[in-house]
Amino acid sequence: MAKRPIGARRRPRIVHTVPALRKALADLRKRRETVALVPTMGALHQGHLALVRLAQRRADRVVVSIFVNPTQFAPHEDLKTYPRTFATDVAALAALKADLVFAPAVETMYPEGFSTRIVPEGAAKAGLEDAFRPHFFAGVATVVAKLLIQCAPDIAVFGEKDFQQLKVVTRLARDLDLATRIVAGAIVREADGLALSSRNRYLKPDERAKALTLYRVLVRSAEKIAAGADGASIAAVLDDGRAAIAAAGFAVDYLEARNAETLAPLAAAGERPIRLLVAARIGGTRLIDNVGV
Ligand code: AMP
């Protein structure tokens, strides 16, 4: 039987406040429908839309949140210039028949007097993104905890593109006894391998051409490691990889091989599975990517 759109609308219902969100969700819950949440900062691309499709396969109804979260940006970062394309985002979600868009104002998420922060440890202290963006995971954990509490979804879908974030959020849901299962979505890439990102639109044409070096280096390094590099030669593979990324014109923040589960540095040769993670800057743009070994 075809699913009834909420309130017989074809476009997703858009709500901006927590009471309106809870009312819309209560209508769904009455029909015993399961709910998935896909948190985003908007500027939606095919990577986000793949998460929405995954959510639709796993739950009856899909809520997409669009919120550019100021607390995960440092003062020198791109909060002001972060792309905001709300009308296009809603049109893309309408085409997919997403059910509900939650687009809170900053004052809704952080009203005057707001004074609570969630500061994650474990994977959030792995020495990867946290080493270069020290404010980042407390901002993410706080907003994700709020979104999960506001929506109380059955599942929430996060992309492997932000692999460390996925680990942090998975742990957060478990540690706070949230009744939401965190589901991971695979990375969606351009034809040449560049991982889709809202920030790719900052790249100038020559930078865009160089950007695929990141994925090439990840894949080549993963192949070499899979072919049997031991502890010492993993270090050499990574050194070569960093040099290749720098030679393409990037400033390398990190290229690391980590335990794919904990993100801890590899303790023993032969430890598997491994995740290779990279972050590098070109021009004013910072890109991240990762692959499994
Ligand atoms: P963002 O809007 O960048 O905060 O991302 C929202 C969600 O989309 C996060 O769970 C990201 O990991 C995920 N995401 C971003 N880019 C991609 C991609 N290329 N493939 C899969 N998921 C992605």
Side-chain angles (χ1 to χ4, degrees), residues 39-42 45 47-48 51 82 157-162 165 185-189 195-198:
T40 80
M41 298 207 298
H45 52 61
H48 299 114
L51 300 185
Y82 195 84
V157 183
F158 289 83
E160 288 186 338
K161 165 78 174 16
D162 299 270
Q165 170 177 284
I187 301 176
V188 177
R189 301 179 178 282
L196 296 190
S197 164
S198 307

PDB file of all heavy atoms in Angstrom, residues 39-42 45 47-48 51 82 157-162 165 185-189 195-198, ligand 1:
ATOM      1  N   PRO A  39      20.730  13.820   9.816  1.00  0.00           N
ATOM      2  CA  PRO A  39      21.188  15.175  10.156  1.00  0.00           C
ATOM      3  C   PRO A  39      22.140  15.724   9.079  1.00  0.00           C
ATOM      4  O   PRO A  39      23.054  15.018   8.639  1.00  0.00           O
ATOM      5  CB  PRO A  39      21.943  14.994  11.483  1.00  0.00           C
ATOM      6  CG  PRO A  39      21.560  13.638  11.977  1.00  0.00           C
ATOM      7  CD  PRO A  39      21.285  12.832  10.749  1.00  0.00           C
ATOM      8  N   THR A  40      21.909  16.966   8.665  1.00  0.00           N
ATOM      9  CA  THR A  40      22.787  17.603   7.669  1.00  0.00           C
ATOM     10  C   THR A  40      22.936  19.084   8.005  1.00  0.00           C
ATOM     11  O   THR A  40      22.183  19.638   8.791  1.00  0.00           O
ATOM     12  CB  THR A  40      22.220  17.519   6.233  1.00  0.00           C
ATOM     13  OG1 THR A  40      21.221  18.546   6.065  1.00  0.00           O
ATOM     14  CG2 THR A  40      21.599  16.170   5.922  1.00  0.00           C
ATOM     15  N   MET A  41      23.912  19.678   7.323  1.00  0.00           N
ATOM     16  CA  MET A  41      24.048  21.133   7.389  1.00  0.00           C
ATOM     17  C   MET A  41      23.557  21.761   6.081  1.00  0.00           C
ATOM     18  O   MET A  41      23.915  22.902   5.761  1.00  0.00           O
ATOM     19  CB  MET A  41      25.500  21.524   7.665  1.00  0.00           C
ATOM     20  CG  MET A  41      25.989  20.988   9.008  1.00  0.00           C
ATOM     21  SD  MET A  41      27.309  21.959   9.743  1.00  0.00           S
ATOM     22  CE  MET A  41      28.594  21.781   8.522  1.00  0.00           C
ATOM     23  N   GLY A  42      22.754  21.030   5.312  1.00  0.00           N
ATOM     24  CA  GLY A  42      22.234  21.573   4.061  1.00  0.00           C
ATOM     25  C   GLY A  42      23.286  21.566   2.971  1.00  0.00           C
ATOM     26  O   GLY A  42      24.245  20.815   3.040  1.00  0.00           O
ATOM     27  N   HIS A  45      23.999  17.371  -1.480  1.00  0.00           N
ATOM     28  CA  HIS A  45      24.535  16.790  -2.705  1.00  0.00           C
ATOM     29  C   HIS A  45      24.171  15.308  -2.715  1.00  0.00           C
ATOM     30  O   HIS A  45      23.477  14.827  -1.798  1.00  0.00           O
ATOM     31  CB  HIS A  45      26.045  17.023  -2.801  1.00  0.00           C
ATOM     32  CG  HIS A  45      26.805  16.595  -1.570  1.00  0.00           C
ATOM     33  ND1 HIS A  45      26.822  15.296  -1.112  1.00  0.00           N
ATOM     34  CD2 HIS A  45      27.566  17.312  -0.688  1.00  0.00           C
ATOM     35  CE1 HIS A  45      27.568  15.212  -0.023  1.00  0.00           C
ATOM     36  NE2 HIS A  45      28.020  16.428   0.268  1.00  0.00           N
ATOM     37  N   GLY A  47      25.706  12.743  -1.950  1.00  0.00           N
ATOM     38  CA  GLY A  47      26.107  11.997  -0.745  1.00  0.00           C
ATOM     39  C   GLY A  47      25.016  12.051   0.303  1.00  0.00           C
ATOM     40  O   GLY A  47      24.620  11.031   0.880  1.00  0.00           O
ATOM     41  N   HIS A  48      24.499  13.270   0.541  1.00  0.00           N
ATOM     42  CA  HIS A  48      23.392  13.405   1.493  1.00  0.00           C
ATOM     43  C   HIS A  48      22.166  12.629   0.993  1.00  0.00           C
ATOM     44  O   HIS A  48      21.481  11.962   1.782  1.00  0.00           O
ATOM     45  CB  HIS A  48      22.982  14.874   1.635  1.00  0.00           C
ATOM     46  CG  HIS A  48      24.051  15.782   2.152  1.00  0.00           C
ATOM     47  ND1 HIS A  48      24.613  16.776   1.388  1.00  0.00           N
ATOM     48  CD2 HIS A  48      24.658  15.864   3.359  1.00  0.00           C
ATOM     49  CE1 HIS A  48      25.505  17.436   2.111  1.00  0.00           C
ATOM     50  NE2 HIS A  48      25.562  16.909   3.304  1.00  0.00           N
ATOM     51  N   LEU A  51      22.149   9.083   1.681  1.00  0.00           N
ATOM     52  CA  LEU A  51      21.795   8.779   3.086  1.00  0.00           C
ATOM     53  C   LEU A  51      20.277   8.784   3.254  1.00  0.00           C
ATOM     54  O   LEU A  51      19.715   7.973   3.997  1.00  0.00           O
ATOM     55  CB  LEU A  51      22.421   9.786   4.043  1.00  0.00           C
ATOM     56  CG  LEU A  51      23.951   9.904   4.069  1.00  0.00           C
ATOM     57  CD1 LEU A  51      24.386  10.868   5.171  1.00  0.00           C
ATOM     58  CD2 LEU A  51      24.622   8.556   4.257  1.00  0.00           C
ATOM     59  N   TYR A  82      29.639  29.338   4.764  1.00  0.00           N
ATOM     60  CA  TYR A  82      29.198  27.967   4.490  1.00  0.00           C
ATOM     61  C   TYR A  82      27.969  28.036   3.569  1.00  0.00           C
ATOM     62  O   TYR A  82      27.047  28.821   3.810  1.00  0.00           O
ATOM     63  CB  TYR A  82      28.853  27.244   5.793  1.00  0.00           C
ATOM     64  CG  TYR A  82      28.761  25.757   5.599  1.00  0.00           C
ATOM     65  CD1 TYR A  82      29.885  24.953   5.640  1.00  0.00           C
ATOM     66  CD2 TYR A  82      27.534  25.158   5.309  1.00  0.00           C
ATOM     67  CE1 TYR A  82      29.803  23.585   5.415  1.00  0.00           C
ATOM     68  CE2 TYR A  82      27.440  23.784   5.087  1.00  0.00           C
ATOM     69  CZ  TYR A  82      28.581  23.009   5.141  1.00  0.00           C
ATOM     70  OH  TYR A  82      28.495  21.659   4.907  1.00  0.00           O
ATOM     71  N   VAL A 157      21.042   8.239  10.422  1.00  0.00           N
ATOM     72  CA  VAL A 157      22.003   7.842   9.391  1.00  0.00           C
ATOM     73  C   VAL A 157      23.102   8.888   9.273  1.00  0.00           C
ATOM     74  O   VAL A 157      22.822  10.083   9.124  1.00  0.00           O
ATOM     75  CB  VAL A 157      21.292   7.649   8.028  1.00  0.00           C
ATOM     76  CG1 VAL A 157      22.285   7.157   6.984  1.00  0.00           C
ATOM     77  CG2 VAL A 157      20.137   6.676   8.161  1.00  0.00           C
ATOM     78  N   PHE A 158      24.340   8.415   9.353  1.00  0.00           N
ATOM     79  CA  PHE A 158      25.515   9.283   9.232  1.00  0.00           C
ATOM     80  C   PHE A 158      26.442   8.711   8.175  1.00  0.00           C
ATOM     81  O   PHE A 158      26.534   7.494   8.020  1.00  0.00           O
ATOM     82  CB  PHE A 158      26.257   9.373  10.570  1.00  0.00           C
ATOM     83  CG  PHE A 158      25.515  10.160  11.612  1.00  0.00           C
ATOM     84  CD1 PHE A 158      24.522   9.569  12.370  1.00  0.00           C
ATOM     85  CD2 PHE A 158      25.780  11.509  11.807  1.00  0.00           C
ATOM     86  CE1 PHE A 158      23.812  10.303  13.314  1.00  0.00           C
ATOM     87  CE2 PHE A 158      25.082  12.250  12.750  1.00  0.00           C
ATOM     88  CZ  PHE A 158      24.097  11.641  13.502  1.00  0.00           C
ATOM     89  N   GLY A 159      27.161   9.592   7.477  1.00  0.00           N
ATOM     90  CA  GLY A 159      28.029   9.148   6.396  1.00  0.00           C
ATOM     91  C   GLY A 159      29.411   8.743   6.889  1.00  0.00           C
ATOM     92  O   GLY A 159      29.953   9.350   7.817  1.00  0.00           O
ATOM     93  N   GLU A 160      29.975   7.745   6.224  1.00  0.00           N
ATOM     94  CA  GLU A 160      31.362   7.358   6.529  1.00  0.00           C
ATOM     95  C   GLU A 160      32.347   8.432   6.081  1.00  0.00           C
ATOM     96  O   GLU A 160      33.510   8.394   6.457  1.00  0.00           O
ATOM     97  CB  GLU A 160      31.695   6.021   5.853  1.00  0.00           C
ATOM     98  CG  GLU A 160      30.997   4.852   6.508  1.00  0.00           C
ATOM     99  CD  GLU A 160      31.428   3.509   5.941  1.00  0.00           C
ATOM    100  OE1 GLU A 160      31.934   3.472   4.794  1.00  0.00           O
ATOM    101  OE2 GLU A 160      31.237   2.490   6.637  1.00  0.00           O
ATOM    102  N   LYS A 161      31.878   9.368   5.265  1.00  0.00           N
ATOM    103  CA  LYS A 161      32.738  10.489   4.853  1.00  0.00           C
ATOM    104  C   LYS A 161      33.391  11.143   6.073  1.00  0.00           C
ATOM    105  O   LYS A 161      34.555  11.486   6.057  1.00  0.00           O
ATOM    106  CB  LYS A 161      31.887  11.498   4.086  1.00  0.00           C
ATOM    107  CG  LYS A 161      32.503  12.859   3.886  1.00  0.00           C
ATOM    108  CD  LYS A 161      33.508  12.809   2.795  1.00  0.00           C
ATOM    109  CE  LYS A 161      34.106  14.136   2.396  1.00  0.00           C
ATOM    110  NZ  LYS A 161      33.953  15.246   3.260  1.00  0.00           N
ATOM    111  N   ASP A 162      32.591  11.325   7.130  1.00  0.00           N
ATOM    112  CA  ASP A 162      33.099  11.879   8.386  1.00  0.00           C
ATOM    113  C   ASP A 162      33.283  10.704   9.346  1.00  0.00           C
ATOM    114  O   ASP A 162      32.491  10.495  10.264  1.00  0.00           O
ATOM    115  CB  ASP A 162      32.113  12.913   8.925  1.00  0.00           C
ATOM    116  CG  ASP A 162      31.941  14.068   7.956  1.00  0.00           C
ATOM    117  OD1 ASP A 162      32.678  15.039   8.049  1.00  0.00           O
ATOM    118  OD2 ASP A 162      31.065  13.962   7.065  1.00  0.00           O
ATOM    119  N   GLN A 165      33.644  11.246  13.091  1.00  0.00           N
ATOM    120  CA  GLN A 165      32.352  11.714  13.606  1.00  0.00           C
ATOM    121  C   GLN A 165      31.375  10.550  13.775  1.00  0.00           C
ATOM    122  O   GLN A 165      30.641  10.479  14.777  1.00  0.00           O
ATOM    123  CB  GLN A 165      31.786  12.752  12.642  1.00  0.00           C
ATOM    124  CG  GLN A 165      30.346  13.154  12.897  1.00  0.00           C
ATOM    125  CD  GLN A 165      29.896  14.227  11.936  1.00  0.00           C
ATOM    126  OE1 GLN A 165      30.262  15.382  12.081  1.00  0.00           O
ATOM    127  NE2 GLN A 165      29.120  13.853  10.932  1.00  0.00           N
ATOM    128  N   GLY A 185      26.346   5.217   6.322  1.00  0.00           N
ATOM    129  CA  GLY A 185      26.183   5.231   4.860  1.00  0.00           C
ATOM    130  C   GLY A 185      27.543   5.358   4.189  1.00  0.00           C
ATOM    131  O   GLY A 185      28.393   6.132   4.644  1.00  0.00           O
ATOM    132  N   ALA A 186      27.743   4.604   3.104  1.00  0.00           N
ATOM    133  CA  ALA A 186      29.036   4.618   2.391  1.00  0.00           C
ATOM    134  C   ALA A 186      29.284   5.986   1.753  1.00  0.00           C
ATOM    135  O   ALA A 186      28.348   6.746   1.500  1.00  0.00           O
ATOM    136  CB  ALA A 186      29.041   3.524   1.331  1.00  0.00           C
ATOM    137  N   ILE A 187      30.560   6.260   1.474  1.00  0.00           N
ATOM    138  CA  ILE A 187      30.937   7.545   0.865  1.00  0.00           C
ATOM    139  C   ILE A 187      30.523   7.568  -0.609  1.00  0.00           C
ATOM    140  O   ILE A 187      30.818   6.620  -1.351  1.00  0.00           O
ATOM    141  CB  ILE A 187      32.461   7.766   0.966  1.00  0.00           C
ATOM    142  CG1 ILE A 187      32.897   7.763   2.428  1.00  0.00           C
ATOM    143  CG2 ILE A 187      32.862   9.065   0.262  1.00  0.00           C
ATOM    144  CD1 ILE A 187      34.413   7.889   2.616  1.00  0.00           C
ATOM    145  N   VAL A 188      29.862   8.624  -1.016  1.00  0.00           N
ATOM    146  CA  VAL A 188      29.526   8.822  -2.429  1.00  0.00           C
ATOM    147  C   VAL A 188      30.600   9.717  -3.047  1.00  0.00           C
ATOM    148  O   VAL A 188      30.971  10.743  -2.463  1.00  0.00           O
ATOM    149  CB  VAL A 188      28.132   9.453  -2.589  1.00  0.00           C
ATOM    150  CG1 VAL A 188      27.822   9.722  -4.054  1.00  0.00           C
ATOM    151  CG2 VAL A 188      27.082   8.540  -1.974  1.00  0.00           C
ATOM    152  N   ARG A 189      31.094   9.313  -4.224  1.00  0.00           N
ATOM    153  CA  ARG A 189      32.218  10.003  -4.862  1.00  0.00           C
ATOM    154  C   ARG A 189      31.866  10.501  -6.260  1.00  0.00           C
ATOM    155  O   ARG A 189      30.970   9.975  -6.903  1.00  0.00           O
ATOM    156  CB  ARG A 189      33.412   9.039  -4.981  1.00  0.00           C
ATOM    157  CG  ARG A 189      33.881   8.514  -3.645  1.00  0.00           C
ATOM    158  CD  ARG A 189      35.051   7.538  -3.773  1.00  0.00           C
ATOM    159  NE  ARG A 189      35.451   7.133  -2.438  1.00  0.00           N
ATOM    160  CZ  ARG A 189      36.192   7.882  -1.620  1.00  0.00           C
ATOM    161  NH1 ARG A 189      36.651   9.048  -2.042  1.00  0.00           N
ATOM    162  NH2 ARG A 189      36.480   7.469  -0.409  1.00  0.00           N
ATOM    163  N   ALA A 195      35.596  12.565  -3.041  1.00  0.00           N
ATOM    164  CA  ALA A 195      34.412  12.410  -2.187  1.00  0.00           C
ATOM    165  C   ALA A 195      33.549  13.666  -2.292  1.00  0.00           C
ATOM    166  O   ALA A 195      34.069  14.790  -2.209  1.00  0.00           O
ATOM    167  CB  ALA A 195      34.843  12.172  -0.744  1.00  0.00           C
ATOM    168  N   LEU A 196      32.259  13.488  -2.490  1.00  0.00           N
ATOM    169  CA  LEU A 196      31.369  14.652  -2.530  1.00  0.00           C
ATOM    170  C   LEU A 196      31.405  15.362  -1.188  1.00  0.00           C
ATOM    171  O   LEU A 196      31.429  14.727  -0.135  1.00  0.00           O
ATOM    172  CB  LEU A 196      29.930  14.224  -2.836  1.00  0.00           C
ATOM    173  CG  LEU A 196      29.663  13.579  -4.193  1.00  0.00           C
ATOM    174  CD1 LEU A 196      28.153  13.466  -4.411  1.00  0.00           C
ATOM    175  CD2 LEU A 196      30.285  14.363  -5.321  1.00  0.00           C
ATOM    176  N   SER A 197      31.413  16.688  -1.239  1.00  0.00           N
ATOM    177  CA  SER A 197      31.413  17.501  -0.023  1.00  0.00           C
ATOM    178  C   SER A 197      30.811  18.855  -0.359  1.00  0.00           C
ATOM    179  O   SER A 197      31.030  19.389  -1.458  1.00  0.00           O
ATOM    180  CB  SER A 197      32.846  17.696   0.483  1.00  0.00           C
ATOM    181  OG  SER A 197      32.887  18.760   1.417  1.00  0.00           O
ATOM    182  N   SER A 198      30.073  19.398   0.607  1.00  0.00           N
ATOM    183  CA  SER A 198      29.522  20.740   0.398  1.00  0.00           C
ATOM    184  C   SER A 198      30.649  21.741   0.176  1.00  0.00           C
ATOM    185  O   SER A 198      30.449  22.781  -0.449  1.00  0.00           O
ATOM    186  CB  SER A 198      28.697  21.162   1.616  1.00  0.00           C
ATOM    187  OG  SER A 198      27.745  20.170   1.915  1.00  0.00           O
TER     188      SER A 198
HETATM  189  P1  AMP B   1      27.233  17.660   6.467  1.00  0.00           P
HETATM  190  O1  AMP B   1      26.044  18.318   5.871  1.00  0.00           O
HETATM  191  O2  AMP B   1      28.488  17.874   5.689  1.00  0.00           O
HETATM  192  O3  AMP B   1      27.378  17.899   7.936  1.00  0.00           O
HETATM  193  O4  AMP B   1      26.989  16.102   6.324  1.00  0.00           O
HETATM  194  C1  AMP B   1      25.794  15.525   6.750  1.00  0.00           C
HETATM  195  C2  AMP B   1      25.934  14.027   6.651  1.00  0.00           C
HETATM  196  O5  AMP B   1      26.218  13.664   5.306  1.00  0.00           O
HETATM  197  C3  AMP B   1      27.096  13.490   7.499  1.00  0.00           C
HETATM  198  O6  AMP B   1      26.670  12.283   8.118  1.00  0.00           O
HETATM  199  C4  AMP B   1      28.156  13.243   6.474  1.00  0.00           C
HETATM  200  O7  AMP B   1      29.066  12.224   6.831  1.00  0.00           O
HETATM  201  C5  AMP B   1      27.336  12.827   5.276  1.00  0.00           C
HETATM  202  N1  AMP B   1      28.068  13.006   4.029  1.00  0.00           N
HETATM  203  C6  AMP B   1      28.697  14.131   3.599  1.00  0.00           C
HETATM  204  N2  AMP B   1      29.320  13.895   2.417  1.00  0.00           N
HETATM  205  C7  AMP B   1      29.077  12.595   2.109  1.00  0.00           C
HETATM  206  C8  AMP B   1      29.462  11.736   1.009  1.00  0.00           C
HETATM  207  N3  AMP B   1      30.221  12.165   0.009  1.00  0.00           N
HETATM  208  N4  AMP B   1      29.026  10.458   1.038  1.00  0.00           N
HETATM  209  C9  AMP B   1      28.272   9.998   2.057  1.00  0.00           C
HETATM  210  N5  AMP B   1      27.874  10.748   3.108  1.00  0.00           N
HETATM  211  C10 AMP B   1      28.278  12.022   3.131  1.00  0.00           C
END
